[in-house]
Amino acid sequence: MLTSLSIKNYALIDTLHVDFNEGLSIITGETGAGKSILLGGLSLILGKRADLNSLKDTTQKCIIEAVFNISDYKLKSLFKTEDFDYESQTIIRREILPSGKSRAFVNDSPVNLSSLQVLGARLIDIHSQHQTLELTSNEFQFQVIDALAKHEDVLQHYKDTLKTYKTLQKELKELLTFQAEAIKEHDYNSFLLNELVEANLVDGELETLEEEYETLNNIEAIKEKLDEAHHLLSDEEVGALSTLTALKNAFQKLSGFSSKYEDLFNRINSSLIEMDDIFSDVSTLQDNLEIDPDRLQTVDSKLKMLHNLMQKHVASNISELIRIKNELEEKVSVTENLEDTIHKKQLEIDSKTSELNTISKTINKKRTEVIPKLKEQLESILAGLGMPNAQFKIEMNHSDTFFANGKDELSFLFSANKGGHFNELKKAASGGELSRIMLAIKSVLSKYIKLPTIMFDEIDTGVSGEISNKMGDIMLQMSKTMQVFSITHLPQVAAKGHSHFKVYKEDVNNVTQTNLIKLKHDERIVEIAQMLGGMEMSSSAIAHAKELLN
């Protein structure tokens, strides 16, 4: 419940703080006194978008703060979902800065407006003339029936399944679109893939082939230089090996005379060993060197093919060609297996369709069962509100379409007069009748679900006398299980309240301000007497006011 409200620098309000109690709270005041300002400020707490024009002093920020006792609302899971800090005494604050920016806080933690709106809807239900018009919408009518059916879990199961069903349908549509495009590209992709597969690509092969090509293409020059090297190394008279051998023998004799000669001997001997290895390698290269025109042609052809493929696929090496080949394999494979994927996706959709049909039948059954009860209670309440001939014809038809809340199509018809024709609410009921119907519905709902604090904004407009008295009784009855506010111009309703607040304007330093005060018993008598007879109160008006309060 709402325990307190503080408003600073908002519209005609300079500073205001008021505490509220349980039960039925009445708010009265002359037309234009600022009741709409109060509701506007409260709407900001519930997540309504802020307007810079709301600032009384545009150089100062506007602050609106409300305290709620939420210990009985079972809101911990909601706080966890929205990542709010849970407190049984929760404080919501809105700030509108002179720059036009707006900030919202729940228990001093900043929150976004969408999350605040989710929380606000669970804290206060502000019933306005606009909401009375919602009564004529199928969406609201379904909400009423579903509240009585008490099948929130089943509805949520349906909504979750429907979400999955729609996701699967979207995926199937994308698959079919992809298939149509893929078929066009399949043959071309297959051709490109076959080219790359036949190329038998090996990472690093290009460099190996290019080296082999250079060898085969220059084999005569290589043979000539190898023969020359062989001669320079092995010639008996001037060959490097003969010369080094003679040098080694000379220093071998000198090595015994001094360590200096021995070091040179060792170095010469190492050089001779290395030169001998070089000679062996040159001989091996000579033996392995073979003129092979066929191999040269094969290597040349393979290189040309690889370079053509690299040019075609804009690749700089074999590794990139292998990557492109793998991508093409995946595309071709996906296309070839697409029919199977589509079939599996359709089976999933068929399964969800069957599940949705089963759940929707359960929803339809529960709704159908509570409709007679709803009809009976509404007609009974309306009879007491001066509409003895009011009748409802509420019919539920199971359709073939999956709607957001099931497969039902609702016909919610009304007749205000005996023997009258049934018609849609917006055509069959006047404004005053709609207000009474809405009050009756709220009264019924309060028996089945724990409504948040509810605020009726002149729901008694268009009624008077005994009917207004009955409407007050209904709100009083509702206040036994919830906190109820009623903004009213009717003394009969005002007298029902456990608490009575007055909205009024006053001029302070030539500036008009709106204030809200809680009236004491004697002040209530005066207020109700003025509502009965005007500012010039008669003794009969005062007596009547006392009678109403008693």
Side-chain angles (χ1 to χ4, degrees):
M1 59 172 267
L2 176 65
T3 59
S4 70
L5 177 67
S6 299
I7 300 177
K8 181 180 179 181
N9 193 36
Y10 177 72
L12 295 179
I13 297 175
D14 184 24
T15 302
L16 181 150
H17 177 85
V18 60
D19 295 320
F20 298 110
N21 301 317
E22 297 177 341
L24 175 60
S25 295
I26 300 297
I27 300 176
T28 60
E30 296 179 4
T31 301
K35 296 187 291 295
S36 60
I37 295 175
L38 188 67
L39 287 176
L42 202 52
S43 296
L44 289 174
I45 288 293
L46 305 181
K48 181 183 176 183
R49 294 201 172 276
D51 183 355
L52 186 58
N53 294 328
S54 301
L55 271 63
K56 187 174 189 292
D57 180 350
T58 56
T59 65
Q60 301 292 322
K61 68 179 178 181
C62 162
I63 302 175
I64 301 176
E65 187 173 280
V67 181
F68 296 87
N69 181 345
I70 62 171
S71 55
D72 296 332
Y73 283 6
K74 297 181 180 179
L75 292 177
K76 286 186 179 179
S77 59
L78 174 63
F79 272 65
K80 185 176 181 180
T81 301
E82 298 296 334
D83 198 24
F84 295 156
D85 294 328
Y86 180 85
E87 298 287 346
S88 58
Q89 292 289 325
T90 282
I91 301 172
I92 299 178
R93 187 172 78 255
R94 283 293 298 276
E95 296 181 357
I96 308 171
L97 306 180
S99 63
K101 291 184 178 180
S102 167
R103 300 185 299 186
F105 303 86
V106 174
N107 295 325
D108 285 332
S109 296
V111 300
N112 58 49
L113 284 191
S114 58
S115 294
L116 184 58
Q117 288 167 1
V118 172
L119 176 60
R122 300 285 295 274
L123 296 177
I124 300 182
D125 177 9
I126 297 181
H127 174 85
S128 61
Q129 295 294 326
H130 172 72
Q131 196 190 39
T132 298
L133 296 178
E134 288 181 1
L135 176 59
T136 63
S137 73
N138 257 177
E139 182 181 359
F140 181 81
Q141 293 161 2
F142 269 119
Q143 289 174 5
V144 174
I145 293 171
D146 289 333
L148 269 68
K150 293 183 178 180
H151 56 185
E152 185 177 344
D153 292 343
V154 179
L155 271 175
Q156 191 58 51
H157 183 197
Y158 174 86
K159 290 175 182 178
D160 293 340
T161 307
L162 181 64
K163 184 178 179 180
T164 304
Y165 169 80
K166 288 184 175 180
T167 300
L168 289 171
Q169 280 192 318
K170 182 181 177 182
E171 290 172 353
L172 177 61
K173 184 178 179 181
E174 290 173 351
L175 279 172
L176 292 171
T177 302
F178 177 76
Q179 184 187 43
E181 294 298 322
I183 289 172
K184 297 176 186 177
E185 298 179 3
H186 178 65
D187 291 342
Y188 181 59
N189 286 337
S190 297
F191 169 75
L192 293 177
L193 177 61
N194 289 334
E195 273 189 329
L196 293 172
V197 170
E198 289 173 2
N200 194 24
L201 301 171
V202 178
D203 197 10
E205 181 184 27
L206 183 64
E207 293 77 9
T208 303
L209 287 172
E210 286 176 338
E211 183 180 324
E212 185 180 1
Y213 176 81
E214 287 300 316
T215 299
L216 291 170
N217 198 40
N218 296 281
I219 197 164
E220 292 293 345
I222 294 170
K223 186 178 186 305
E224 181 183 338
K225 293 300 178 183
L226 286 174
D227 289 345
E228 183 182 346
H230 188 274
H231 176 72
L232 290 171
L233 287 166
S234 64
D235 187 90
E236 290 183 1
E237 293 183 4
V238 296
L241 286 172
S242 298
T243 303
L244 279 172
T245 300
L247 192 61
K248 171 191 171 186
N249 291 335
F251 272 89
Q252 188 173 16
K253 294 177 181 179
L254 293 173
S255 62
F257 300 126
S258 170
S259 60
K260 293 185 292 183
Y261 302 129
E262 185 178 4
D263 288 342
L264 281 173
F265 168 76
N266 290 332
R267 288 167 65 187
I268 292 168
N269 189 49
S270 296
S271 296
L272 180 59
I273 293 171
E274 179 65 21
M275 194 61 69
D276 193 50
D277 283 344
I278 291 172
F279 176 72
S280 177
D281 287 345
V282 169
S283 298
T284 301
L285 288 171
Q286 280 182 308
D287 293 341
N288 292 338
L289 199 63
E290 182 181 352
I291 298 174
D292 188 349
D294 292 338
R295 178 59 185 168
L296 177 61
Q297 186 177 356
T298 300
V299 172
D300 184 50
S301 298
K302 183 70 180 283
L303 282 171
K304 286 179 179 177
M305 178 188 67
L306 289 175
H307 282 112
N308 286 336
L309 287 172
M310 288 165 61
Q311 186 176 10
K312 178 186 285 188
H313 294 282
V314 195
S316 59
N317 52 51
I318 299 295
S319 295
E320 289 188 26
L321 281 179
I322 292 173
R323 176 181 59 78
I324 292 168
K325 177 178 78 74
N326 292 337
E327 290 175 355
L328 285 168
E329 282 178 340
E330 187 175 348
K331 286 182 180 179
V332 170
S333 174
V334 167
T335 304
E336 291 175 347
N337 296 320
L338 208 52
E339 202 64 51
D340 184 51
T341 305
I342 290 172
H343 178 65
K344 288 179 180 177
K345 190 67 65 177
Q346 187 60 60
L347 288 178
E348 288 184 73
I349 291 174
D350 292 343
S351 174
K352 290 300 172 186
T353 301
S354 176
E355 188 176 353
L356 283 171
N357 281 326
T358 300
I359 301 171
S360 64
K361 285 179 182 177
T362 302
I363 293 172
N364 174 267
K365 181 182 178 184
K366 287 180 174 290
R367 285 171 173 169
T368 304
E369 287 174 352
V370 301
I371 283 175
K373 187 184 298 184
L374 173 63
K375 179 177 179 296
E376 179 185 349
Q377 291 186 64
L378 289 178
E379 289 176 354
S380 174
I381 294 171
L382 289 175
L385 292 176
M387 299 173 65
N389 298 316
Q391 295 181 72
F392 289 91
K393 182 188 285 187
I394 307 173
E395 297 176 345
M396 196 82 64
N397 296 314
H398 208 53
S399 73
D400 296 326
T401 305
F402 291 126
F403 300 114
N405 61 351
K407 294 181 68 175
D408 295 326
E409 291 179 327
L410 178 63
S411 173
F412 204 104
L413 305 179
F414 175 72
S415 173
N417 304 306
K418 187 178 291 187
H421 296 290
F422 284 95
N423 210 335
E424 296 176 15
L425 273 172
K426 59 184 176 183
K427 296 178 180 178
S430 65
E433 288 171 336
L434 281 176
S435 294
R436 281 177 272 178
I437 293 170
M438 179 58 92
L439 180 60
I441 285 176
K442 294 287 184 179
S443 174
V444 171
L445 284 177
S446 67
K447 300 174 185 177
Y448 292 89
I449 59 175
K450 187 168 181 60
L451 287 169
T453 296
I454 189 167
M455 181 171 286
F456 291 109
D457 181 17
E458 299 185 6
I459 195 171
D460 47 25
T461 298
V463 299
S464 59
E466 184 57 26
I467 303 304
S468 62
N469 191 50
K470 291 289 182 64
M471 293 183 78
D473 285 337
I474 290 175
M475 286 184 270
L476 187 60
Q477 183 65 31
M478 291 174 65
S479 73
K480 291 180 179 179
T481 56
M482 61 187 299
Q483 185 184 36
V484 179
F485 289 88
S486 178
I487 298 175
T488 182
H489 286 292
L490 299 180
Q492 294 90 341
V493 175
K496 302 285 184 181
H498 300 105
S499 303
H500 190 153
F501 298 86
K502 180 177 180 178
V503 180
Y504 66 97
K505 283 182 181 178
E506 62 178 349
D507 293 334
V508 179
N509 297 326
N510 293 321
V511 177
T512 302
Q513 294 183 0
T514 289
N515 275 310
L516 177 71
I517 60 168
K518 184 176 182 180
L519 300 179
K520 298 176 182 178
H521 182 72
D522 290 344
E523 293 170 330
R524 289 189 72 182
I525 294 173
V526 172
E527 177 70 9
I528 293 173
Q530 289 177 345
M531 294 172 73
L532 287 165
M535 296 301 293
E536 299 295 330
M537 295 178 294
S538 63
S539 56
S540 60
I542 293 176
H544 191 186
K546 290 180 179 179
E547 183 181 351
L548 287 174
L549 283 170
N550 291 330

